[in-house]
Amino acid sequence: INTHYLKISRHAALQMSLKDIEVEPFVFLQKKYSNLAIDDFLIAVNCPDELRTQIISELKVEGKVSVENFFNSSVFESLKQNKAFKTYYDSHRNASHEAFQAYINSFDADVENKGINLVDIGWGGTMQEAIYEFFNREISITGYYLGVAEIYDVQPKTKRFGLNFSILPFPDYNDYIIMANMQLYEQFSAADHGSALGYSLEVEDYALEFHKP
């Protein structure tokens, strides 16, 4: 077994897996934040401060006011037609994709033929799903988690297993007990480096990080 330490987060996973704005489903954002302010959405795709201000001004909307059912709103449709946003979004997603591909290549692993086994302190599969989408659903991305507590769209190539607990195929009494304080596991196991915000060819190990001591 050859292991590699992958710096990734839900936020970073979104950046490298973004598709064309007309087809990108924003699955995680829609699931967690169906009502969303346009400023928060632009932050979610790493849009710089000055550009966010410009785009919001051009759209003539209140940037920090939550929009109900954001991804099916007229505000989101207007955003998708905004020239400044479209230029940024396409440049950003292409650069993020290229940088993440270079990051994976730096591990010198035959992922195309052998797939990837993702080991994570977690219980869902957001990042697993993003990596699967990154590779156009063509290679197997198997998840091994501290526990499995959320059901995603599990496919034959995105199987996942829980070490301490799992709701797959169904939870038992012990699973419910161990799942009681899941957030503590993440706190106990926090990494000593910053959170991954995205990927760039301009930094040494490709991962952009933010760390507030």
Side-chain angles (χ1 to χ4, degrees):
I1 297 174
N2 295 315
T3 61
H4 308 276
Y5 189 87
L6 177 68
K7 291 183 178 179
I8 193 168
S9 67
R10 295 180 185 90
H11 187 92
L14 172 64
Q15 315 312 314
M16 59 76 168
S17 63
L18 288 170
K19 293 181 169 55
D20 185 278
I21 192 64
E22 296 298 336
V23 298
E24 170 58 48
F26 296 104
V27 174
F28 177 74
L29 289 178
Q30 290 212 53
K31 179 180 179 182
K32 298 292 185 181
Y33 313 104
S34 59
N35 300 335
L36 193 66
I38 191 168
D39 191 54
D40 290 333
F41 171 76
L42 292 172
I43 290 173
V45 293
N46 286 1
C47 188
D49 294 348
E50 289 187 10
L51 184 56
R52 292 206 317 273
T53 300
Q54 174 191 335
I55 292 170
I56 292 170
S57 176
E58 289 176 358
L59 293 177
K60 296 180 172 61
V61 296
E62 292 292 334
K64 297 188 181 298
V65 174
S66 181
V67 177
E68 187 173 352
N69 199 11
F70 177 81
F71 292 100
N72 293 304
S73 69
S74 59
V75 172
F76 185 54
E77 287 302 315
S78 297
L79 176 64
K80 291 195 294 183
Q81 302 307 315
N82 180 271
K83 185 176 180 180
F85 171 72
K86 289 174 67 177
T87 299
Y88 165 75
Y89 180 87
D90 286 335
S91 173
H92 172 64
R93 71 184 182 87
N94 289 330
S96 298
H97 189 283
E98 184 180 359
F100 187 74
Q101 184 66 67
Y103 187 24
I104 293 295
N105 291 346
S106 72
F107 296 148
D108 193 26
D110 186 12
V111 298
E112 283 78 10
N113 293 312
K114 296 184 177 180
I116 293 174
N117 293 302
L118 184 68
V119 181
D120 183 29
I121 299 292
W123 34 82
T126 303
M127 291 169 277
Q128 180 183 359
E129 300 279 322
I131 297 173
Y132 183 55
E133 291 293 336
F134 178 87
F135 286 102
N136 298 313
R137 302 189 173 193
E138 293 173 354
I139 70 173
S140 295
I141 312 293
T142 304
Y144 294 91
Y145 300 100
L146 184 69
V148 175
E150 294 185 36
I151 296 180
Y152 284 65
D153 182 23
V154 182
Q155 300 292 319
K157 290 185 177 181
T158 59
K159 295 176 181 177
R160 57 209 66 181
F161 305 91
L163 174 64
N164 286 346
F165 57 86
S166 179
I167 60 174
L168 300 174
F170 53 83
D172 63 19
Y173 182 74
N174 293 328
D175 291 319
Y176 283 118
I177 292 174
I178 301 174
M179 284 191 289
N181 294 293
M182 293 193 301
Q183 292 300 329
L184 291 178
Y185 300 137
E186 284 194 344
Q187 294 178 38
F188 294 153
S189 306
D192 60 357
H193 56 72
S195 178
L197 298 182
Y199 303 96
S200 172
L201 294 175
E202 298 179 5
V203 296
E204 185 175 354
D205 65 352
Y206 304 103
L208 297 169
E209 298 175 36
F210 173 76
H211 179 54
K212 186 175 182 181

